[in-house]
Amino acid sequence: MTVDLLSPAKSQPGARLVPVAPFSIVIFGGTGDLALRKILPALFHRWCDGQVPETSRIIAVSRSDISTDDYLEMVRARLVETSTDDASVKARFAEFAGLVRYHAGDVLADGFDWDALSREIGPDEQNIRLFYLALPPGLFGPVCDRLKSAGLNTARARIVLEKPIGEDLASAKAINDAVGAAFEERAIFRIDHYLGKETVQNLLVLRFANSLFEPMWNSQGVDHVQITVAETVGAGDRTSYYDGAGALRDMVQNHLLQLLCLVAMEPPRNLEADAVRDEKLKVLGALRPIGQDDVSSLTVRGQYGAGAMNGEAVPGYADEIGRASRTETFVAVKAFIDNWRWANTPFYLRTGKRMPERHSEIVVQFHPVPHQVVKSDSGRARPNRLVIRLQPDEGVKLLLTTKDPGPGGMRLRYVPLNLSFADTFGARYPDAYERLLMAVVRDDLSLFMRRDEVEAAWRWIDTVVEAWESEETELYRY
């Protein structure tokens, strides 16, 4: 089935897309990959669906000395690259371009014209102000300080921070302190794009709106949980950042731990921001530290070498960075949550680059039945398994043991009850950045991390890093 990504009526059939209030968004790092690959396309698609009011403003700021027309051509070219319908892009882009302005300059330089930027943004009482820092985390504090000095941190202003928030607990605290000196916590939106995925949000509904699962959603019913994020790509052009981070800091500290929290948390009193985040924080606080004595039995580190994927030769990680390195590109962790609900239930967290296929999923494996009532030669009843697929092909599967139809006796078969979002709802849904940007405008913090969440996650990750360093754990090649 071919899906038109741009027609407003086809984005969510049967759903009413409510326009957000007018806003002005300033994207610092506007010529960077994140802005051109994710942020501007997300705003464009929301514009095509009628959610972005015509009086909104989109202002890209970067040091590149180019004009607004030059910048718009960069944005248009990137949209054409990612769309299957070049004609639709051309038809709608001219209208969208009327919202976009480019502002050249170094925001940390003394000569930067903050007054001109303020005029581009418009009066505070007219539009909500969003400042998106698509920048390295070391610049978050200095840029926020400049925004404060320029008087742009008004009551209607919101600041959006990309991950990573630091590289350990100490640096995360320093960044949070610096940003917090300019903006109140209620105005700080720390993005983890996994929280904007349709299936991740559906996990809350699956758990708390269906009585089927909750009685079994504990150590008595669940044997183990697997959370996997596998990528086929290598470090690529991110090697300068990645070699100082590795898979544990880059993926586990944010994406995988956030997924773990949503699987393991207690039911919140409602889905308001702090109610959800309070419960997630309790999970992070209950994670059993992984110390020097058990790091070798509870974690595995790996690094990809040269090989072939899909018939094409690919370089190893050391070849890409031009030297030997002990940075892990694969990590597996066996984690435990020391609380009443999950005592001694293992949570397996896995992520890696250069994996055989790209997929992200959560697998909840239930305990087997206590007694097999069918004959042994008929096959065994396998444990039920709930599979929540985040990407690609978002959906939910519940695997059950059933009788194989026919007159051949009691033969067992393991089959899925399958909810495919594409097959069931039949159309494209907004991607994570589209949803999260609209949530910022609506002042909905429930999909964003609070300061204490970020720091609690780093506190646990730091124990693993320290144990790795003290034990000099083996780095396997794959």
Side-chain angles (χ1 to χ4, degrees), residues 47-356:
W47 160 263
C48 290
D49 272 351
Q51 284 197 284
V52 175
E54 294 181 357
T55 55
S56 298
R57 297 178 174 91
I58 301 169
I59 305 155
V61 179
S62 180
R63 292 178 296 180
S64 300
D65 188 15
I66 58 176
S67 67
T68 292
D69 288 342
D70 295 333
Y71 183 71
L72 286 170
E73 179 55 30
M74 294 170 63
V75 175
R76 191 199 65 79
R78 187 60 65 96
L79 284 169
V80 169
E81 284 178 16
T82 57
S83 174
T84 58
D85 192 348
D86 188 18
S88 293
V89 172
K90 290 178 179 177
R92 300 303 308 273
F93 187 73
E95 303 170 55
F96 175 74
L99 278 62
V100 181
R101 297 289 183 273
Y102 180 78
H103 195 94
D106 182 351
V107 296
L108 298 182
D110 291 338
F112 184 80
D113 194 343
W114 287 99
D115 289 337
L117 179 61
S118 181
R119 289 192 295 273
E120 289 275 13
I121 295 171
D124 182 51
E125 65 275 6
Q126 184 175 343
N127 285 348
I128 298 165
R129 298 179 171 189
L130 277 57
F131 298 105
Y132 200 120
L133 304 191
L135 299 167
L139 299 179
F140 291 173
V143 172
C144 286
D145 183 62
R146 294 301 179 98
L147 288 168
K148 179 181 179 180
S149 297
L152 295 177
N153 61 334
T154 61
R156 290 166 61 84
R158 293 153 201 176
I159 192 84
V160 184
L161 309 180
E162 268 289 336
K163 70 113 177 163
I165 309 294
E167 58 187 22
D168 54 22
L169 178 58
S171 59
K173 285 183 174 180
I175 290 171
N176 283 327
D177 285 343
V179 175
F183 292 88
E184 295 181 15
E185 181 65 27
R186 62 170 180 78
I188 302 172
F189 291 74
R190 299 173 184 86
I191 274 192
D192 183 330
H193 70 269
Y194 269 60
L195 296 182
K197 292 183 179 294
E198 187 70 40
T199 324
V200 174
Q201 293 188 52
N202 199 41
L203 176 58
L204 294 176
V205 177
L206 191 71
R207 281 195 60 190
F208 303 129
N210 295 285
S211 60
L212 172 67
F213 294 113
E214 184 58 26
M216 300 293 292
W217 207 268
N218 51 52
S219 61
Q220 302 302 308
V222 175
D223 181 79
H224 67 269
V225 176
Q226 302 175 44
I227 301 175
T228 304
V229 177
E231 302 176 279
T232 56
V233 298
D237 57 6
R238 298 179 70 228
T239 52
S240 59
Y241 155 73
Y242 196 87
D243 199 54
L248 185 72
R249 292 184 176 97
D250 183 51
M251 295 294 291
V252 178
Q253 187 273 336
N254 39 74
H255 299 329
L256 273 72
L257 286 185
Q258 285 294 309
L259 296 179
L260 179 147
C261 286
L262 293 176
V263 172
M265 72 183 194
E266 295 297 319
R269 64 184 182 276
N270 54 44
L271 292 184
E272 293 180 2
D274 281 335
V276 172
R277 298 191 294 184
D278 285 346
E279 298 303 333
K280 289 198 293 178
L281 183 63
K282 292 176 185 177
V283 174
L284 293 169
L287 279 170
R288 184 184 301 173
I290 296 178
Q292 188 173 344
D293 294 338
D294 46 23
V295 67
S296 296
S297 62
L298 296 181
T299 70
V300 175
R301 304 173 67 224
Q303 185 185 103
Y304 62 83
M309 295 191 70
N310 300 319
E312 295 185 7
V314 293
Y317 180 76
D319 300 321
E320 289 179 335
I321 66 172
R323 57 180 173 79
S325 169
R326 282 190 51 80
T327 297
E328 79 284 352
T329 60
F330 171 90
V331 63
V333 180
K334 184 179 182 180
F336 292 93
I337 301 169
D338 289 334
N339 63 16
W340 188 280
R341 181 183 289 264
W342 296 112
N344 298 317
T345 302
F347 285 73
Y348 297 98
L349 312 178
R350 295 186 296 246
T351 184
K353 294 185 176 296
R354 292 282 188 229
M355 296 285 103

